[in-house]
Amino acid sequence: MPRPLNPAALSHFGFLLLPNYSMIAVANAIEALRMANRCAGRAVYRWSLHAVGEAPVTASNGLSLGAVTAPESGPAPDILFVCGGLDVRSAVGRPVLAALRRAARAGTPLGALCTGTFALAAAGLLDEYRCAVHWEDMPAMRAEFPDIELVNELFVLDRNRLTCTGGTGPLDMMLALIEARLGRNVAEHVRAIFVLDRIRPSAERQPLDKDDRGHAGQPMLARAMVMIEARLGEKQILGEIAGELGISLRQLQRLFRAHVGESPAAFIRARRLKRAQGMLQSLRVPVTDVAMACGFGSSTHFASAYHDYFGHPPRAERRPGGIA
């Protein structure tokens, strides 16, 4: 059994930068540590940047960070975060996978920011772990890595793995780690300096898209959407969802029409097709498998619905590069 990670013991954070990594995710993580040192009045935390192969590594915004070394150079960090971003599949070659496996064998706890979760999964280092990844990549990763429990949470600590979504999610994660080591007052001081309205807990859901974000004032509707998202691969789900919400199917239909402007069936169809689009763009699996994974009974029905919704057939989505 791997030894559980103690958040209060972390002081040296390593960041393994993959090509096209998300600068905002890395910057949020590092800036939280820098500000914690300032608020504590001493150098509690330090960080190091690493790369496999040539350095510096260019982020997805075209910028790069300096002082990058190989993962094996210098003392091992208390935790090594893999930092991903756009087109992560092409960034995760054999050298990166080998470096991650060496770190795991050496007993270094591993984490991930944004699509860095894909790198750990591809290395076989997340099997039977709960983990987080940016919501855009959840459908493709669920299909490719069935032994991983992907959850729609901002960040997840499971034993010796700490995975986090992109964007501002790493800032929330670091605030939680700062609180574990330095206490709530220091974490709140960092929050206030960064002009954040609150510290979000790890289990807080990611907003999936504009449909999900727009209904925060309708908790019943928000719960229904979460349940729909989790069951898109199942055929008949509306009756079960209404029952679990404690309302009738007619009440559920009225709720959607009043606040979404369409029936729940139409909403589910659109969500299934959008998930299918992401899988087609990210995975090299047969179209029939995508259709079944997204709750369509046949590839013919799927192709017809897809063309009606997007204006082109499913096969037109095939493009090089893998997960973006």
Side-chain angles (χ1 to χ4, degrees):
M1 278 289 289
R3 202 163 89 185
L5 180 69
N6 178 9
L10 299 177
S11 63
H12 178 192
F13 292 78
F15 298 93
L16 178 61
L17 307 178
L18 302 181
N20 285 312
Y21 66 92
S22 169
M23 180 72 79
I24 189 173
V26 176
N28 271 315
I30 293 175
E31 282 296 286
L33 299 174
R34 178 189 68 81
M35 189 56 68
N37 284 346
R38 176 185 161 192
C39 293
R42 64 186 192 278
V44 179
Y45 297 112
R46 62 191 179 101
W47 49 92
S48 53
L49 302 178
H50 306 280
V52 175
E54 294 184 8
V57 183
T58 304
S60 58
N61 61 4
L63 303 178
S64 59
L65 298 172
V68 178
T69 63
E72 293 84 1
S73 64
D78 297 326
I79 185 169
L80 178 65
F81 283 98
V82 192
C83 307
L86 293 176
D87 196 12
V88 68
R89 187 183 297 277
S90 68
V92 180
R94 289 183 180 179
V96 169
L97 297 177
L100 292 175
R101 289 166 183 152
R102 283 195 300 271
R105 287 194 298 269
T108 301
L110 297 171
L113 305 184
C114 196
T115 59
T117 303
F118 173 87
L120 292 180
L125 301 174
L126 285 180
D127 289 355
E128 299 182 1
Y129 279 88
R130 294 178 75 252
C131 58
V133 71
H134 191 278
W135 62 266
E136 284 186 314
D137 300 292
M138 288 176 68
M141 282 198 60
R142 279 194 176 120
E144 188 163 355
F145 303 105
D147 293 330
I148 296 171
E149 185 183 354
L150 283 162
V151 295
N152 183 27
E153 298 176 6
L154 289 177
F155 56 95
V156 175
L157 172 59
D158 185 355
R159 291 161 286 173
N160 59 346
R161 300 288 184 264
L162 179 55
T163 52
C164 184
T165 59
T168 59
L171 181 54
D172 295 287
M173 177 185 68
M174 288 301 182
L175 286 171
L177 298 179
I178 291 165
E179 180 176 352
R181 186 178 179 98
L182 299 176
R184 184 74 178 186
N185 286 342
V186 174
E188 285 289 352
H189 192 183
V190 175
R191 176 204 63 77
I193 291 176
F194 285 158
V195 200
L196 300 174
D197 62 342
R198 64 190 177 93
I199 298 176
R200 295 183 295 178
S202 63
E204 183 156 328
R205 297 178 58 249
Q206 300 180 74
L208 297 176
D209 61 15
K210 63 181 178 61
D211 295 320
D212 189 42
R213 292 193 299 268
H215 303 292
Q218 295 292 328
M220 184 74 74
L221 181 60
R223 285 181 59 201
M225 288 179 171
V226 171
M227 295 163 74
I228 286 171
E229 193 73 27
R231 304 180 191 184
L232 287 179
E234 302 174 19
K235 298 264 187 321
Q236 303 294 331
I237 61 175
L238 283 179
E240 292 181 5
I241 288 174
E244 291 179 30
L245 290 172
I247 61 177
S248 68
L249 181 57
R250 182 166 294 188
Q251 286 174 309
L252 181 63
Q253 291 169 338
R254 283 201 297 264
L255 188 65
F256 268 82
R257 291 192 181 280
H259 299 286
V260 183
E262 61 184 0
S263 69
F267 176 82
I268 290 171
R269 177 175 173 272
R271 294 302 303 168
R272 282 174 169 159
L273 289 168
K274 289 175 183 177
R275 172 173 288 188
Q277 184 183 50
M279 293 179 68
L280 288 166
Q281 292 176 349
S282 304
L283 301 176
R284 295 297 176 263
V285 297
V287 172
T288 300
D289 291 355
V290 174
M292 298 303 167
C294 294
F296 289 90
S298 71
S299 56
T300 302
H301 175 214
F302 171 62
S304 175
Y306 201 96
H307 192 281
D308 288 345
Y309 191 84
F310 291 109
H312 54 259
R315 296 188 185 280
E317 298 290 358
R318 297 301 191 190
R319 60 178 174 81
I323 296 177

